[in-house]
Amino acid sequence: MTKTSHLFEHILTHYRGIFATLFLLPVSVLYSAYNSARNLIVFYGRSAPLKHEQRVKKVIQQIEDWKKGGALEKLCTARSGWKTMSEMVPKYKLSHRKIDVGMYDILEISEQRGTVKVEPLATMGQISRNLITKGWTLAVVPELDDLTVGGLIMGFGVESSSHKFGLFQSICASFDLVTADGQCVRCSPTENADLYYLIPWSHGTLGFLVAAELKIIPAKRFIRVHYQPVYSLDEMVEAFEEASRKTGENDFVEGLVYSRDTAVIMRGTFANDIESDGTFNAIGRWHKPWFYKHVETYLKNRQAGVEYIPLRHYYHRHTRSYFWTMEEIIPFGNHPVFRSLLGWALPPRIELLKYTETETTRKLREKFHVVQDMLMPIRYLKQSIKYFDDHFNLYPLWLSPMAIFDNDKHLGFVHPHRIKDGTVDEMYVDIGAYGTPLKANFDNASALPLLEKFVIDHHGYQALYAKTTLSREDFRTMFDHTGYDRLREQLPFCVQAFDEVYDKVSSKGRVSPVEMRKLVNNRESDVQ
Ligand SMILES: Cc1cc2nc3c(=O)[nH]c(=O)nc-3n(C[C@H](O)[C@H](O)[C@H](O)COP(=O)(O)OP(=O)(O)OC[C@H]3O[C@@H](n4cnc5c(N)ncnc54)[C@H](O)[C@@H]3O)c2cc1C
């Protein structure tokens, strides 16, 4: 290592907050401005729907070329692995043949069918901005602006309306998938239904998604949020479960847990007017406190309250602070002076954060840092919070209720667990743990496998954007592969073309950003 790179590593490791402020934020702002301008030009300046057919043909052509060449390599999307929301980078992108599925557009809004048709790289920020101006919104809007439709369908996506509408995948009326034999197949609950139910969680191992039709609902101007502080674990679990099951009454439900016994449970409903029972709060403005800090004030003041939050501000309420992880990147980011001067520039882009990881920060992250979402049957919420408290002591925890629907005879990767008496409870909860646990002698290397065992034992699921240490066998216990294995055998060229999901999401398929940089550098020096 040269003196300059030593110095650079030292700055990145020890002055990360200052580096993020002075370098990552300006670069992120420029990059986001470029993306927005591009979207405007593409969507308003050209005919996106007409171009869509051509783009699908291009994907098919690339598959045909692969077949003509003997179908030798495995396939993956050409999107840079640095751009994914995961903390890790896909290693398989270095060896697999890349298929360009660069499709970013909103194609058609059909008020009659109650759907919007979009391409896979359309993002949540782009779609919510576009729909809300027309009086509509997606039934489920996963929180961060940069989450892509393709990633949310092929991986997973959840938000505080998921108790009503299910995971992001459940609001999809249909998918257009280009399979490994170069066919564009439309799938819905009534057409190619087996494929339709297996695309979610399949991580692009059944084909390339080229479009999806998503359910939309009428939007209103505000979300009326009722904040309820609670001061015991029993009260927390009871209030959260009750709110989650009242799907007719509550459009949105969320919990932020601040300790084993304290939390704020939030219930949201659409509203067009600000009533006298609450106050207006545009929480998304750059100078406002980070959302989880604001929510905590209800706990400290020991008082419930009601606020009317503009719709987009509500949907993207955790974006500026990436939930609470920004505190570790820019520790002074929630200071009023910082917010007033630079709050508008937050958050720095994920790909830049990954690219500037150093060997030292990698080691610290892998040992002490946790980013996990565990999807648990809601009847195990109490045990789960106790488990996180005993083994992690990491707060806040994010609680987002979610329905996993019983699809009857169609076997997807996830389905609600059948209770001993034969009944099915579709209500689950996403428990999100992000940050550095305070548990004495914490080491993720031992804590994560134990947590994964706890999740399997309680019939839960792990979100696969995060690190998994499951063995292939345990992975198959957690995620039902029955229909998937059968379908991969049936679909022509599928096994030749695509890895299994496990090979993409486990350590076989993904590495840390630092290791990826080394692999790329080694490859480049081999070529020279
Ligand atoms: C800081 C942070 C915050 C997050 N917040 C939320 C949140 O609020 N709500 C939430 O639900 N989730 C959240 N997530 C997780 C997120 O849902 C997942 O990462 C999800 O997979 C979407 O990420 P992505 O758009 O980067 O997809 P990617 O990681 O790019 O894609 C996921 C998988 O789908 C495959 N894929 C993508 N597009 C296609 C295609 N067109 N054809 C075939 N295969 C394809 C990819 O190959 C990959 O295997 C968060 C993650 C992080 C790190």
Side-chain angles (χ1 to χ4, degrees), residues 88 90-92 96 154 201-205 413 452 456 462 464 466-481 484-485 488 498-511:
M88 287 159 296
K91 186 167 59 175
Y92 55 79
H96 290 15
M154 292 286 180
W201 298 88
S202 70
H203 287 77
T205 62
F413 282 96
E452 290 168 330
I456 290 182
Q462 179 177 25
L464 294 175
K467 179 175 179 163
T468 173
T469 63
L470 290 173
S471 65
R472 190 181 295 271
E473 199 188 359
D474 287 342
F475 188 76
R476 283 178 161 263
T477 305
M478 187 183 278
F479 294 97
D480 189 343
H481 280 55
Y484 176 69
D485 289 344
R488 273 173 64 87
F498 301 117
D499 287 318
E500 273 192 31
V501 178
Y502 182 78
D503 295 317
K504 291 186 84 173
V505 301
S506 65
S507 58
K508 281 190 73 179
R510 293 192 303 205
V511 288

Side-chain angles (χ1 to χ4, degrees), residues 73-137:
E73 318 98 314
K74 292 254 190 276
L75 307 178
C76 66
T77 63
R79 186 184 187 221
S80 161
W82 294 97
K83 290 189 174 171
T84 70
M85 290 304 293
S86 172
E87 282 186 314
M88 287 159 296
V89 189
K91 186 167 59 175
Y92 55 79
K93 298 255 175 190
L94 293 177
S95 55
H96 290 15
R97 185 174 174 124
K98 296 196 196 88
I99 303 295
D100 182 4
V101 194
M103 306 166 102
Y104 299 85
D105 296 322
I106 298 171
L107 299 173
E108 186 194 0
I109 298 168
S110 168
E111 297 188 3
Q112 208 183 358
R113 283 201 302 277
T115 56
V116 57
K117 188 166 182 179
V118 295
E119 293 185 326
L121 286 175
T123 63
M124 285 306 101
Q126 175 191 353
I127 298 175
S128 69
R129 219 169 278 125
N130 199 295
L131 282 181
I132 288 171
T133 52
K134 298 180 173 68
W136 293 92
T137 177

Side-chain angles (χ1 to χ4, degrees), residues 122-333:
T123 63
M124 285 306 101
Q126 175 191 353
I127 298 175
S128 69
R129 219 169 278 125
N130 199 295
L131 282 181
I132 288 171
T133 52
K134 298 180 173 68
W136 293 92
T137 177
L138 290 180
V140 175
V141 184
E143 163 65 32
L144 299 185
D145 277 27
D146 289 334
L147 294 170
T148 64
V149 167
L152 292 165
I153 291 169
M154 292 286 180
F156 107 117
V158 67
E159 236 306 304
S160 53
S161 57
S162 288
H163 64 305
K164 228 173 156 160
F165 297 105
L167 291 175
F168 187 78
Q169 305 142 1
S170 305
I171 66 157
C172 298
S174 73
F175 303 119
D176 291 353
L177 192 80
V178 173
T179 56
D181 63 338
Q183 304 292 319
C184 185
V185 183
R186 191 185 140 88
C187 339
S188 72
T190 51
E191 284 168 273
N192 300 302
D194 284 349
L195 191 50
Y196 170 82
Y197 286 109
L198 277 160
I199 286 171
W201 298 88
S202 70
H203 287 77
T205 62
L206 295 172
F208 294 102
L209 185 75
V210 290
E213 259 185 308
L214 314 173
K215 181 181 168 64
I216 54 174
I217 55 174
K220 292 192 180 169
R221 291 173 62 209
F222 306 105
I223 303 298
R224 176 191 183 276
V225 180
H226 177 268
Y227 301 86
Q228 178 190 356
V230 290
Y231 298 92
S232 78
L233 182 55
D234 284 332
E235 195 190 352
M236 182 191 311
V237 170
E238 196 184 319
F240 183 78
E241 186 168 348
E242 190 203 349
S244 306
R245 291 196 189 278
K246 285 192 176 159
T247 49
E249 208 172 284
N250 299 315
D251 296 319
F252 303 89
V253 177
E254 177 181 23
L256 294 188
V257 183
Y258 291 91
S259 73
R260 185 183 176 114
D261 296 313
T262 58
V264 178
I265 309 300
M266 286 161 274
R267 299 151 205 252
T269 44
F270 283 106
N272 260 334
D273 300 301
I274 299 171
E275 305 287 343
S276 56
D277 60 347
T279 49
F280 173 72
N281 188 359
I283 50 154
R285 295 241 171 94
W286 78 99
H287 53 87
K288 290 277 183 173
W290 290 346
F291 185 63
Y292 69 101
K293 292 284 187 195
H294 169 63
V295 175
E296 197 176 14
T297 59
Y298 288 92
L299 199 62
K300 289 186 176 152
N301 298 337
R302 304 187 83 83
Q303 211 170 15
V306 171
E307 281 184 334
Y308 287 80
I309 299 177
L311 188 55
R312 273 202 93 247
H313 291 227
Y314 176 80
Y315 280 142
H316 301 290
R317 64 201 177 281
H318 292 295
T319 298
R320 264 189 308 145
S321 54
Y322 284 148
F323 289 80
W324 26 96
T325 55
M326 195 54 60
E327 206 170 317
E328 291 185 347
I329 302 165
I330 305 181
F332 41 84

Side-chain angles (χ1 to χ4, degrees), residues 486-498:
R486 202 168 45 220
L487 200 58
R488 273 173 64 87
E489 287 302 329
Q490 282 168 4
L491 291 172
F493 291 100
C494 186
V495 175
Q496 257 163 291
F498 301 117

